[in-house]
Amino acid sequence: MEDNYHKLEVDGDFQSLKSTHNHNQANDTDSQVQILGGSQRDKMGSRTTLIIVAVVTAVLGITLGVLIGWFSSQAQFPDSEAYKIWLKALEGEDEAIREMILEELNADVIKENLRTLTAKPHLAGTPADKENAEYVKDKWDEHGLDSARIVPYNVLLSYPLKEKPNFVYILNPNGTEFYKSDPEEKDLDDGDKHPDTVPPFNAYAAEGTVEGDLVYVNYGRIEDFQKLDEELKVNVTGKICIARYGKIFRGDKAKHAQQYGAVGLVIYSDPADYAADDNTADVYPHTWWLPGSGVQRGSLYIKQGLGGDPLTPAYPSSENAYRYPESSVDLPKIPVQPIGYENAKHFLEQLDGDRAPDEWQGNIDGLANYNLGPGLLDGRTVKLEVNNIRERKWTYNVIGMIRGSQEPDRYVILGNHRDAWVFGAVDPSSGTAVMLEITRAMGKLVKSGKWRPRRSIVFCSWAAEEYSLIGSTEWVEEFSKNLGSRAVAYLNVDNIPGNYTFRAKATPNLLQTIFEATKYVRDAPFPGHSETVYDTWLKRNPDGDQPKVSNLGSGSDYASFLGQLGISAVDLRYTFDSDLNISSYPLYHSMYETFHLVSEIMDRSFEYHLAVARVWAEMSRNLADSLILPFDCRDYTANLEYGLRCQGTWRILSSCHLIVGTIRLI
């Protein structure tokens, strides 16, 4: 605009000078006419008239030309700042940036990140939880993110009491103790035990002591209780149930036991699900299989599959928020306690009653038959003592951002939770270690001035996910209006639980984006693996002519983004072979989920972590940099058609639920 103003001033000066010159010429002509006589005067008058007309015409022409030129200059967008911005906004992504980011990512740095993150237990609501939050924020400031801040929430959590441990007893008929479960796991390797290690417990289980006959209920599914009641004629009312982990969410096991009138529940991990190959001797710390003393901790509460603070449903748990009374919230009403299969054997081998169905038989070494109960041999009973407390605690999200250059109010969101039941080397710290390396690599390019994404990239380190997806849910509830209108997609990595093949769950419009990223990323360079992540994935988990991608459920922090706001989402990981027929990676939520497990057994070179880092980074770069969002809504149609062809309603409803994400985009 400044150049145009100068042009106007110059043109104006030019008009003024021209007019003055013409005026002087006219005066000279008049003087000549007065001196000349008669016919000469007539001739001179005609000439003067012509000159005047010519001059006026010239002046008008010049003036008109100047005006036309000036207005034309204002319409010449190539000379304007607005046009330059417009052209910049239409530029495509720089393909060279992809290679820069992928090559910058380093497996050794991921390994050191994990070593730091797993140095001590960091359960939500503890001092270590806040220390880890501050560590992540400091790293993001160091990496050069445009902003990084801690976002606290005050939420209801649950803890066992070290000074008053939880126990499961076998009592003789006279009330004396026949057997008592171990209060904590055994120290099997250097570094397994830490002063801050929390004993095994199930979060939100009711406090209390109950006594009664024991009944084996298989996995505690609703069909298991129905089979007991209707076919096997075993009534669990007033009884204590014992169930094995697996197949369904542990909170549903407690819900079903309570629904059928049980007064308590004991949950254990059976070798059939967590220590396969009929070899219970070859376990951690030598392999990744669960030892007999290993216990899976875990929460019993997730409301309607979404989660959040139990006392502030549907709104954020700020310090002064209204809170529902605990008595009005749907928390477990019976005591529940997890134990290892070494302890469980003592209870199961004492069970009286008929032999359980063949499909209910487990694989505890030395236990020939799993009986149903009710009751134990020789009139013995079981006592369950749970001393957990529920209390409000502060827990901390960490939110970082690289601000977009062209569409800063459009957010590509990456998330991983930070809290762990103990050391959490797999769940969740493997994912946290990877995300920290992505922020380092991207931040380095931003700091150097070589790159700034078109759209903003938001990095989220969630709090208290293990309890009930709390950190992510509270954040979504607090910023739902902004996120609902501005979020492009949510990309989640909870953990990296295996080294067999890549695995993804996603809304269908992101399928091609996932495939593109995995085709570009090199796979781990080990026997049996192909050149790219995509090729290995297609070979080891095919779904027709492409790799299998499942629909999203509600098991991690993507739940509130998809379920509450309809934001397109994906959950990524490298995982184990599904043919192992195990319910999860064997050391899940136990004290043995250590740095040793990952660095010496599961991923010694950290190449699998690096592969996930590269896919995650490339997907986020593509979504943030592409001129046109790389969504393919046609895949929604295919998914819905497939669901309609399948028998039953669950797949149909699941597929229909995903259409919300597409509606937002339209």
Side-chain angles (χ1 to χ4, degrees), residues 381-400:
T381 57
V382 169
K383 183 173 80 169
L384 172 60
E385 179 184 348
V386 174
N387 299 301
N388 298 347
I389 60 170
R390 300 169 183 166
E391 59 181 323
R392 281 172 52 188
K393 290 277 192 175
W394 285 102
T395 192
Y396 309 90
N397 288 342
V398 189
I399 310 296

Side-chain angles (χ1 to χ4, degrees), residues 30 465 510 536:
D30 290 343
E465 185 269 359
L510 287 172
T536 303

Side-chain angles (χ1 to χ4, degrees), residues 644-663:
L644 291 169
R645 287 197 304 268
C646 293
Q647 292 183 350
T649 59
W650 168 246
R651 182 63 185 257
I652 297 173
L653 292 174
S654 177
S655 299
C656 290
H657 178 69
L658 295 176
I659 203 69
V660 177
T662 300
I663 292 171

